[in-house]
Amino acid sequence: MTKENFKQAIVEAHQRLENLLQLASLAVDQSLEEDYPIALLQQAITEISISLEELRQQNEELITTRNLLEVEHQRYHDLFNFAPDGYLVTDFTGIIQEANYAAANLLNVRQSYLIGKPMRVFVHQTERQKFRQIMLQLQQQGQIKTEELRFFHNQGSIDFPAELTAIAVENSQGKAGSLRWLFRDISDRYQAEQKIREQAALLDITTDAIIVEDLDNQILFWNQGAENMYGWKVKEAQGNNAWKLLSQETSPLLPAALKTVIECGTWQGELYKFTKDGRELIIASRWTLMLDAGGLPKSILIIDTDITEKKQLETQLLRSQRLESLGTLASGIAHDLNNILTPMMTVAQLLPLKYPHLDDISLQMLNILETNAKRGGDLVRQILSFTRGSERKRTIVLVTQLIEDIKQIVQQTFPKFIEINTDIPQNIGIVVGDSTELHQVLMNLAVNARDAMPNGGKLSISATKLFIDENYARMHIGATVNSYVRITVADTGVGIHSEILDRIFDPFFTTKEVGKGTGLGLSTLMGIIKSHGGFVEVASEVGIGTKFQVYLLSKEGRTSQVIDKIELPTGQGELILVVDDEVAITQITKTTLEIYNYKVLTAQNGIEALALYTEHKDEIRLVLMDMMMPSMDGETAIRTLQIINPQVPIVAMSGLATAEALVQTTGIGIQGFLAKPFTANQLLNFVQKIFR
């Protein structure tokens, strides 16, 4: 029964009682005047009983309703107190009238402490102006939906961000009544948002390209790293097909990668991709399949790392390692060849001296023998030069003169249908090196350019001076931070296929027909330039031409010429110990020295040498020691001799290393180094220089 129905029932019961009382009074009056029917009185009594029963029932309903109201009030009080969010009731000035348990707990105070306090004292002082604006808006508009406000309580050391909702409630007279506030702590949300912001910042800070694509390769996300790597802005990339945007032609790896990532969840590998301006990049790409809430494939997360520079350095390193391994093999062969060629050259020179009346044919044959032996020695040095195993005397070389000499040769010998142009500044400067070897380098490049233009073309030789900084040096093996002279030899010939471009510096690799090339030209060139502290770069395009750039360390100064005087000096009977495991070399060296008035003892290894020196140490003036021998090698023998006599003059002999390299690697103190193969002239002049 509602409140209004209950009120109406009471009114009707009272009215009925009044009617019965009136009727009873009337019956009494009438009974005095005349007899009143008994039935009428009985009816009145019955109706009074019914009314009394109705009043009893209504009273019971009233008690029940009151109990229900008390239960509802308790339920409201419990909900109010134990709601998870803070709840406050204030008047229109902001004075707190009611506060639930959650509000007190959030503010770390007792509930009773809040009652009567201005709500603004619990608002952080930096946001009280904002709170005043919220109060004004609430008074004018009647409610605020969602605002963020920072709460603070000094005694409880509480400071947290809150999400605030409020409504104005009027009283029964329709006037301003109270304000009801609901607020909740959103610190966790703030931390989550901060974490998301930090992660988003990391996504943009990283140099890797982070891309999200749907299953149809449409770009959904494109970070700052992707912008920097590929050149496409976010607005340009999002919504486009990634395969069309980054690949000039679809690689067969892409469909296979997509299939693998959908089936297995991940894929990684190397891909070739292109930037906005058409540059090709080598990319280490890692794909991860992203699932929706139902566990179905939704998108693909792709992380791309640019490894182009790394791959270039690896290629240069592998090339250097191949040259080094082949150089080791060549060194072993060269050692044996030099031991073979040395006696041949010396015999060819000594026979005419010992037999001065030889006929012209014999002399011609000996001359041919000597010439071919020298050519063999030059070929060995050429093989060793790319490993820096053979060095010559270094002098100051004028770059302009070097290129001018090459220009004159090619103009006189190359076909007329090849146009030759040079561009050499007069102040290009100088380099320090072996002019013969540098001449060989440029001639080799010029001849290769000629062979690449069988139907004519343009050969250009130019030079410039430049400084290489740290960034450039870091990307090129062999380069250092220094001043360089860069000599460029370019042609408009057939070009070199990219598949073989990395192999052109390998020894014995050639694309020329049999009989037209040994494959040693470019490997020798590389060795010469490395021995001069420089490096080489090459670029080529089929049908367009090839460009070689040779970098040599630049020096300042003026040119000078070194002239070797060829003499055949004689000795004064000095005793020389010759140590070599090759019998032919010891015999021919002994014969040569004896012809020119020296005395000679020979030994086949270090042990024999030590025995002979111990026996004749007061007489031996010089020891010629081969470095590679069985039983006891040259280095060990030299150190032992120096223990016996620290002042003993020793000259090392080898076909594998220069004197400077020998001293650096062994640390032994010697008076000289004689490189094999050597001529009689070189031997005699060297020995004479020691005795001066």
Side-chain angles (χ1 to χ4, degrees), residues 135-188:
M135 286 284 293
L136 181 61
Q137 178 184 350
L138 193 58
Q139 292 166 359
Q140 292 176 349
Q141 301 179 6
Q143 67 174 357
I144 57 169
K145 292 185 177 180
T146 302
E147 288 286 349
E148 289 186 7
L149 198 67
R150 181 165 289 276
F151 279 82
F152 174 74
H153 179 48
N154 187 33
Q155 293 183 2
S157 300
I158 297 299
D159 183 2
F160 63 91
E163 185 179 80
L164 192 68
T165 304
I167 186 171
V169 179
E170 297 178 348
N171 59 21
S172 57
Q173 288 76 32
K175 298 181 179 180
S178 60
L179 303 177
R180 298 181 181 180
W181 306 82
L182 185 69
F183 65 99
R184 64 184 57 173
D185 186 353
I186 57 174
S187 300
D188 291 342

Side-chain angles (χ1 to χ4, degrees), residues 276-301:
K276 184 177 181 180
D277 57 9
R279 289 185 301 109
E280 185 181 59
L281 302 178
I282 305 175
I283 299 297
S285 193
R286 300 173 295 283
W287 296 16
T288 302
L289 185 65
M290 309 300 291
L291 305 178
D292 60 15
L296 298 176
K298 178 181 65 173
S299 58
I300 299 173
L301 171 65

Side-chain angles (χ1 to χ4, degrees), residues 212-221 237-242:
V212 178
E213 302 175 6
D214 63 18
L215 301 183
D216 294 322
N217 309 314
Q218 302 299 311
I219 297 173
L220 305 176
F221 176 77
Q238 284 184 344
N240 284 316
N241 186 291

Side-chain angles (χ1 to χ4, degrees), residues 328-351:
T328 303
L329 175 63
S331 296
I333 298 173
H335 175 264
D336 293 336
L337 286 176
N338 284 331
N339 286 336
I340 294 171
L341 293 171
T342 297
M344 294 171 60
M345 293 173 61
T346 309
V347 167
Q349 289 182 334
L350 288 180
L351 284 177

Side-chain angles (χ1 to χ4, degrees), residues 1 4-22 44 46-59 61:
M1 176 179 291
E4 295 297 328
N5 291 340
F6 181 73
K7 185 177 181 181
Q8 183 64 30
I10 293 176
V11 171
E12 290 178 354
H14 279 286
Q15 185 65 41
R16 192 177 296 114
L17 286 173
E18 289 178 1
N19 292 338
L20 287 173
L21 289 173
Q22 290 176 2
T46 300
E47 289 181 1
I48 290 173
S49 298
I50 292 171
S51 298
L52 288 174
E53 180 63 24
E54 288 179 353
L55 285 173
R56 186 185 65 79
Q57 291 178 356
Q58 290 169 0
N59 187 51
E61 289 182 3

Side-chain angles (χ1 to χ4, degrees), residues 487-608:
I487 302 175
T488 302
V489 179
D491 64 66
T492 57
V494 296
I496 305 172
H497 287 279
S498 58
E499 292 82 2
I500 64 173
L501 193 61
D502 290 336
R503 300 183 58 198
I504 61 175
F505 293 103
D506 291 352
F508 309 109
F509 176 80
T510 180
T511 58
K512 297 180 181 180
E513 298 177 7
V514 178
K516 293 188 176 181
T518 63
L520 290 173
L522 290 179
S523 62
T524 302
L525 177 151
M526 178 66 78
I528 291 173
I529 298 305
K530 286 175 63 177
S531 71
H532 282 72
F535 61 99
V536 182
E537 290 184 341
V538 58
S540 184
E541 188 173 349
V542 175
I544 303 298
T546 303
K547 178 172 68 175
F548 283 88
Q549 291 181 317
V550 176
Y551 292 78
L552 297 170
L553 290 173
S554 175
K555 299 292 181 182
E556 299 296 335
R558 295 183 299 177
T559 59
S560 64
Q561 302 227 349
V562 177
I563 301 175
D564 292 332
K565 296 182 179 180
I566 301 176
E567 300 178 356
L568 293 176
T570 59
Q572 303 296 323
E574 296 93 337
L575 180 61
I576 299 174
L577 174 59
V578 178
V579 187
D580 200 304
D581 60 317
E582 291 289 336
V583 177
I585 292 180
T586 56
Q587 288 180 350
I588 197 61
T589 303
K590 180 177 184 296
T591 302
T592 303
L593 292 172
E594 288 177 343
I595 290 175
Y596 286 89
N597 200 27
Y598 292 101
K599 296 177 182 179
V600 180
L601 294 174
T602 61
Q604 303 301 311
N605 54 57
I607 296 175
E608 290 184 13

Side-chain angles (χ1 to χ4, degrees), residues 96-379:
I96 298 175
Q97 298 172 337
E98 294 183 62
N100 71 342
Y101 177 79
N105 188 48
L106 286 172
L107 295 172
N108 197 24
V109 295
R110 300 185 310 276
Q111 283 180 268
S112 59
Y113 178 85
L114 293 172
I115 307 303
K117 298 290 191 302
M119 183 176 172
R120 63 179 177 82
V121 301
F122 299 102
V123 176
H124 199 280
Q125 58 184 3
T126 60
E127 296 198 339
R128 287 180 182 173
Q129 178 62 33
K130 182 178 181 180
F131 177 71
R132 285 191 287 270
Q133 294 174 354
I134 291 174
M135 286 284 293
L136 181 61
Q137 178 184 350
L138 193 58
Q139 292 166 359
Q140 292 176 349
Q141 301 179 6
Q143 67 174 357
I144 57 169
K145 292 185 177 180
T146 302
E147 288 286 349
E148 289 186 7
L149 198 67
R150 181 165 289 276
F151 279 82
F152 174 74
H153 179 48
N154 187 33
Q155 293 183 2
S157 300
I158 297 299
D159 183 2
F160 63 91
E163 185 179 80
L164 192 68
T165 304
I167 186 171
V169 179
E170 297 178 348
N171 59 21
S172 57
Q173 288 76 32
K175 298 181 179 180
S178 60
L179 303 177
R180 298 181 181 180
W181 306 82
L182 185 69
F183 65 99
R184 64 184 57 173
D185 186 353
I186 57 174
S187 300
D188 291 342
R189 191 176 79 187
Y190 260 50
Q191 293 173 359
E193 290 176 351
Q194 178 63 24
K195 186 175 181 180
I196 291 173
R197 285 192 291 269
E198 291 173 355
Q199 291 173 343
L202 289 175
L203 290 179
D204 281 336
I205 290 173
T206 179
T207 57
D208 288 341
I210 300 177
I211 306 166
V212 178
E213 302 175 6
D214 63 18
L215 301 183
D216 294 322
N217 309 314
Q218 302 299 311
I219 297 173
L220 305 176
F221 176 77
W222 185 268
N223 78 326
Q224 186 66 43
E227 283 191 8
N228 298 335
M229 185 178 296
Y230 295 115
W232 300 96
K233 299 297 182 182
V234 174
K235 293 181 180 179
E236 297 173 315
Q238 284 184 344
N240 284 316
N241 186 291
W243 292 6
K244 293 180 180 178
L245 190 72
L246 302 176
S247 302
Q248 293 185 352
E249 58 181 21
T250 302
S251 168
L253 277 177
L254 291 175
L258 181 60
K259 183 173 182 291
T260 300
V261 77
I262 291 177
E263 293 177 352
C264 304
T266 60
W267 176 88
Q268 62 180 4
E270 293 182 5
L271 297 172
Y272 288 90
K273 295 187 178 182
F274 292 86
T275 64
K276 184 177 181 180
D277 57 9
R279 289 185 301 109
E280 185 181 59
L281 302 178
I282 305 175
I283 299 297
S285 193
R286 300 173 295 283
W287 296 16
T288 302
L289 185 65
M290 309 300 291
L291 305 178
D292 60 15
L296 298 176
K298 178 181 65 173
S299 58
I300 299 173
L301 171 65
I302 298 175
I303 301 177
D304 285 349
T305 303
D306 183 3
I307 58 172
T308 307
E309 179 180 325
K310 175 185 175 183
K311 284 293 183 179
Q312 290 173 347
L313 292 175
E314 285 179 355
T315 299
Q316 294 181 42
L317 181 60
L318 288 174
R319 179 189 299 164
S320 176
Q321 289 174 342
R322 286 201 305 268
L323 292 177
E324 183 178 352
S325 61
L326 288 170
T328 303
L329 175 63
S331 296
I333 298 173
H335 175 264
D336 293 336
L337 286 176
N338 284 331
N339 286 336
I340 294 171
L341 293 171
T342 297
M344 294 171 60
M345 293 173 61
T346 309
V347 167
Q349 289 182 334
L350 288 180
L351 284 177
L353 298 175
K354 189 170 183 178
Y355 303 102
H357 302 296
L358 288 175
D359 57 79
D360 293 341
I361 295 177
S362 298
L363 291 173
Q364 184 178 2
M365 293 177 66
L366 289 173
N367 186 52
I368 294 173
L369 177 63
E370 181 182 359
T371 300
N372 282 275
K374 287 181 178 180
R375 288 182 61 186
D378 290 339
L379 180 60

